[in-house]
Amino acid sequence: METVVSGIRSTGKLHLGNYYGALQNFVKMQNDYNCFFFIADLHSLTTHPTPENLQQTVRQVVVEYLAAGIDPDKSTIYVQSDVPEVSELYLYMNMNAYLGELERAASFKDKIRANPNNVNAGLLTYPVLMACDILIHHATKVPVGKDQEQHLEMTRTFGNRFNRLYNVEYFKEAFAFSFNKNLMKIPSLDGQGKMGKSNGDASCIYLSDSEKIIRKKIMKAKTDSGPTEENQEKPESVQNLFDLMKVVSSKDTVTYFDELYNSCKIRYGDFKKQLAEDMIIATDPIRSKIEDISKNEEYIQKVLRQGTEKASESAHKTLKEVREIIGFKKFY
Ligand code: TYM
């Protein structure tokens, strides 16, 4: 059975981008693959969370994984920092990752542009740690959104380079995966770019947002003053809302509003109302479970204990082999 690995950073509540780009695929894959799904708390350290904030956000992601339908008896759920073998592998793989290639990563360039006062080494080597998350379990499929595609390419580069350096065929090549034809990019509500926490709360719909908040955010989402010519191209803000509608609404609904747009008869108020209601329906099963699971501390602890044990076993085996390949000898 092929192995699947993926994770989401513990930076807070999960939004629709995380869900449609990643989490929904996690849930669908768990019957047919050997799945490892973790909470990337080491990766979240690049933005320096407080200890309280770190604990709370890790817990939130575990709860939302479970609420979305990850079954801890089928998939291995764990917290990245609970498996320290990942960090050790990261140290080894850093020796074969080069400054030039790390500086060229689109995510690094974005991050330093957004936060020029926090260009830390962890940000630079972020793709190396991500590669280790994947390589440590010998995964071949990685369910992620479009924004992570380059990191998968780097993962293959690092794994292949290790194989070449030590003249072994040890690490496998992993590829980004989605049940959708293309990897997903869920757009932001603020008129441009992708949905993401760093663009502010108003630009994201969170899985835990109440119905009222979803309606409010969608009604406030950016549009323009409306089409003036038949069949004119949609501006990015409007196209983004149509793209969201394609994800949560039926084909007929999208066609209906598309035709209204093309004949300049669209009323954005009606369009947004429909989008909000369909989004509420799409997320309802998860929203209603988040609160229940969140109250069950004992269950959360049990899931993580069981997951850490399974993930540690797999990681330990890899690390033992990697140390041997590198040439470390045991003297004790
Ligand atoms: P993160 O935490 O930024 O995002 C988690 C997942 O959500 C997807 N995603 C999106 N997909 C579509 N549209 C969006 N607007 C959108 N926003 C986020 C991301 O593509 C991702 O799949 N580096 C990763 C976490 C990670 C990881 C790994 C993933 C660490 N190690 C190993 C896979 C395998 C990240 O920052 O994702």
Side-chain angles (χ1 to χ4, degrees):
M1 200 191 265
E2 267 184 280
T3 297
V4 168
V5 167
S6 196
I8 297 182
R9 270 175 308 151
S10 53
T11 50
K13 303 176 280 189
L14 303 189
H15 51 71
L16 292 189
N18 298 136
Y19 181 65
Y20 288 107
L23 190 48
Q24 192 184 45
N25 287 304
F26 299 2
V27 176
K28 286 196 202 163
M29 293 179 100
Q30 58 184 347
N31 289 322
D32 302 316
Y33 299 96
N34 176 28
C35 293
F36 292 87
F37 299 125
F38 63 95
I39 296 91
D41 59 343
L42 296 174
H43 276 111
S44 77
L45 293 184
T46 55
T47 55
H48 308 149
T50 63
E52 296 73 29
N53 187 260
L54 185 62
Q55 278 176 27
Q56 192 259 324
T57 50
V58 166
R59 190 177 187 283
Q60 180 75 20
V61 180
V62 181
V63 168
E64 297 193 13
Y65 274 9
L66 295 166
I70 298 185
D71 178 346
D73 291 326
K74 292 183 186 155
S75 304
T76 302
I77 304 177
Y78 64 101
V79 179
Q80 188 185 29
S81 65
D82 280 337
V83 181
E85 284 84 354
V86 175
S87 304
E88 190 176 327
L89 183 61
Y90 169 55
L91 182 124
Y92 303 148
M93 298 305 274
N94 267 330
M95 307 300 167
N96 308 320
Y98 294 98
L99 183 62
E101 63 190 341
L102 294 171
E103 278 177 336
R104 277 195 298 276
S107 59
F108 179 68
K109 289 195 212 155
D110 288 349
K111 290 267 157 61
I112 62 172
R113 208 175 303 123
N115 299 298
N117 298 324
N118 182 26
V119 186
N120 62 67
L123 268 184
L124 183 71
T125 57
Y126 186 107
V128 184
L129 180 56
M130 177 158 165
C132 293
D133 293 322
I134 297 166
L135 297 171
I136 199 126
H137 301 302
H138 303 285
T140 47
K141 283 195 164 61
V142 184
V144 284
K146 179 92 185 129
D147 59 325
Q148 298 297 316
E149 201 171 24
Q150 192 183 28
H151 290 158
L152 266 296
E153 202 181 307
M154 294 174 85
T155 301
R156 293 191 290 276
T157 301
F158 299 146
N160 286 333
R161 192 175 288 154
F162 178 95
N163 289 350
R164 262 199 317 277
L165 182 66
Y166 295 105
N167 200 15
V168 287
E169 275 190 36
Y170 186 66
F171 288 126
K172 294 181 180 156
E173 288 196 324
F175 291 88
F177 178 85
S178 169
F179 281 102
N180 255 290
K181 202 164 69 213
N182 298 314
L183 296 178
M184 298 279 268
K185 179 187 166 197
I186 299 292
S188 158
L189 296 181
D190 65 7
Q192 50 177 336
K194 63 170 181 169
M195 188 176 284
K197 258 203 105 185
S198 46
N199 300 328
D201 279 351
S203 71
C204 300
I205 299 285
Y206 295 111
L207 293 175
S208 53
D209 277 347
S210 66
E211 297 184 12
K212 200 171 146 200
I213 291 184
I214 295 180
R215 288 192 187 101
K216 204 167 145 190
K217 284 184 179 173
I218 297 289
M219 293 320 280
K220 280 197 172 160
K222 206 160 169 190
T223 49
D224 64 350
S225 51
T228 50
E229 274 171 52
E230 286 195 358
N231 299 318
Q232 85 183 53
E233 203 184 316
K234 300 182 183 84
E236 189 180 357
S237 59
V238 176
Q239 184 61 50
N240 281 355
L241 296 185
F242 267 93
D243 286 348
L244 279 167
M245 188 174 251
K246 280 184 204 144
V247 176
V248 295
S249 306
S250 70
K251 260 204 177 119
D252 288 351
T253 304
V254 180
T255 308
Y256 172 75
F257 283 103
D258 215 26
E259 280 168 6
L260 286 179
Y261 184 89
N262 286 334
S263 54
C264 303
K265 289 189 193 125
I266 193 162
R267 295 211 319 231
Y268 287 140
D270 297 342
F271 169 63
K272 286 174 162 183
K273 254 188 213 146
Q274 180 75 46
L275 176 60
E277 293 316 308
D278 288 342
M279 215 171 247
I280 288 168
I281 293 169
T283 50
D284 182 64
I286 305 175
R287 187 169 38 255
S288 53
K289 282 192 203 116
I290 290 177
E291 217 172 300
D292 278 352
I293 297 173
S294 191
K295 287 185 207 136
N296 198 342
E297 189 60 36
E298 212 173 297
Y299 176 59
I300 297 170
Q301 297 290 335
K302 187 179 143 231
V303 166
L304 290 181
R305 260 199 314 277
Q306 177 182 319
T308 308
E309 204 172 294
K310 280 207 264 174
S312 297
E313 196 182 310
S314 155
H316 188 77
K317 181 170 179 291
T318 304
L319 206 65
K320 186 168 173 287
E321 291 165 354
V322 165
R323 286 170 139 263
E324 274 163 22
I325 292 171
I326 291 178
F328 289 127
K329 240 177 116 184
K330 263 199 155 172
F331 291 104
Y332 56 89

